[in-house]
Amino acid sequence: MTGRTGEAGRTGRTGEAARPGRAGRGAPQTGAGDLLELVRSGRATTRGALQQATGLSRATVGQRLDRLFRAGWLREGAGGPVDSPLGGRPSITLEFDDEHALVLAADLDTRHARAALLTLTGEILAERSGTLVIEDGPEAVLGELGRWFAGLPAAAGRPAAQVCGIGLAVPGPVDSESGRVVQPPIMPGWDGYDITGRLARAFTDHTGLPPVPVLVDNDANLMAYGEQRTSYPDCSAFALVKVSTGIGAGMVVDGCVYRGVDGGAGDIGHIRVPGGERALCRCGSYGCLAAVASGGAVARRLAEAGVAAASGSDVRELLAAGHPEAVGLAREAGRRVGEVLATVVTLLNPGVLMIAGDLAGTAFVTGVRELLYQRALPRSTAHLEVVTSRLGERAALVGAGAVVVEHLYAPERVEERLRALGV
């Protein structure tokens, strides 16, 4: 059972695909997809509870569930508690069968990539990382990524035919309708390229299998979604700032990734900051936050001082070794980012602000805190937690996998997929 639907090359809005508990918000819950949503969310996990939640008859609920069982998406669990004071047989619980399919995910950075095979609940079964230079262009990078993907199921002892979708994180703004990056400052040659179609073909070329759906999103968005779902599921306003080669932010509001009207939300690295007028950014402008406070900017200043550093990852290694000049520059960079985040926090009023990426160490976070709490309104920071990443380098992988699952098992898409499977 693969769950393929012929959707290769399509991409859904992350905000919609990632919104949990959509079923029942102003619409009747009548289809098999709606019942699956209730079971997956834990809001109704027995036949009786589904009848009560939907108002459907016992026979109709049974018919809908039979389709889900035949597709291999549901299974029966242990008996639940006996609700009646008179006793009787316990209700059989229903569970989403997370073993019937697998998801592939990848996270592209400027010179490095990481790929993984995940279960439908986000457990990483196999992983691979290595050098992939984004400046080599989408044709070469995505072709190689397809080769990586082909080897991951075998490494986990699972058949590649179980892969039902692919999620990809990229370091640039993504148009949610097309899945294409839009004027990405650090992705030369990628603007407007058909990423979803090329990656779907690369998967087919290296596995001989039919194409599967591919979803693409900005890396900070997917990191934020993965971290929020995993560690802060009850946080209704969550913000993550990634500081590596560039600087970007992802926001999860009411369980949904906030992307703006065309995918440009969170691009804080290109906010102009005072004192940076002479710093040329890779976007072509002067004075951008990324030009003065990113990992790349810190690496350039270290190189000018005679310290061997060419990228944010080099800075990370220097910070880990306690290099004094790197520590000082990282703290200064944190202060510059904290000044911008004071506005972000005042506008969004998040419960959690997470710092991630190459510079997300003690020195940088200390600098962020200094300016953030100095400049932001006390009311905006009274209940704010400033934390560092829990998932580390796997955050975008977990987020990408979760977005694919939410997309493929959304109620309206379940109906399409069941019809395609003939059940």
Side-chain angles (χ1 to χ4, degrees), residues 146-417:
R147 188 175 71 82
W148 288 17
F149 280 160
L152 288 171
R158 302 289 290 270
Q162 282 193 308
V163 173
C164 65
I166 295 170
L168 178 65
V170 296
V174 177
D175 175 71
S176 61
E177 292 292 343
S178 66
R180 302 182 185 216
V181 292
V182 181
Q183 300 177 1
I186 59 175
M187 300 178 68
W190 291 71
D191 185 22
Y193 184 85
D194 181 17
I195 296 175
T196 58
R198 176 67 181 102
L199 193 51
R201 291 194 303 276
F203 174 79
T204 295
D205 290 344
H206 290 284
T207 63
L209 295 168
V212 296
V214 176
L215 274 73
V216 182
D217 203 350
N218 171 262
D219 54 0
N221 284 346
L222 294 177
M223 290 172 70
Y225 191 53
E227 295 276 10
Q228 189 268 344
R229 280 174 58 102
T230 302
S231 302
Y232 300 93
D234 297 324
C235 181
S236 60
F238 178 95
L240 178 143
V241 178
K242 179 187 178 183
V243 186
S244 290
T245 300
I247 301 176
M251 295 164 286
V252 181
V253 180
D254 291 334
C256 172
V257 174
Y258 181 75
R259 313 180 78 252
V261 296
D262 61 4
D267 201 4
I268 65 171
H270 301 286
I271 293 175
R272 307 289 177 83
V273 294
E277 292 80 6
R278 296 185 179 182
L280 176 62
C281 183
R282 294 182 70 170
C283 73
S285 298
Y286 286 87
C288 293
L289 181 64
V292 299
S294 66
V298 172
R300 284 193 296 274
R301 292 187 63 182
L302 287 169
E304 290 168 1
V307 180
S311 65
S313 58
D314 292 335
V315 177
R316 179 179 58 194
E317 293 176 5
L318 290 168
L319 291 173
H323 189 283
E325 193 155 2
V327 169
L329 289 175
R331 184 163 181 169
E332 181 184 334
R335 289 171 59 86
R336 303 301 294 270
V337 173
E339 190 169 5
V340 171
L341 290 180
T343 301
V344 173
V345 166
T346 301
L347 179 66
L348 184 63
N349 189 209
V352 175
L353 172 63
M354 178 173 284
I355 311 297
D358 290 330
L359 297 193
T362 301
F364 184 86
V365 174
T366 298
V368 168
R369 288 176 175 272
E370 287 177 6
L371 263 290
L372 173 61
Y373 286 102
Q374 178 184 325
R375 300 291 176 86
L377 292 172
R379 187 180 183 281
S380 299
T381 58
H383 303 289
L384 175 67
E385 291 184 63
V386 180
V387 300
T388 53
S389 173
R390 298 279 186 90
L391 296 174
E393 295 180 334
R394 292 178 166 181
L397 297 176
V398 173
V403 164
V404 171
V405 173
E406 294 299 329
H407 174 80
L408 291 178
Y409 295 92
E412 65 278 6
R413 204 153 289 106
V414 164
E415 294 295 338
E416 296 174 8
R417 297 177 66 203

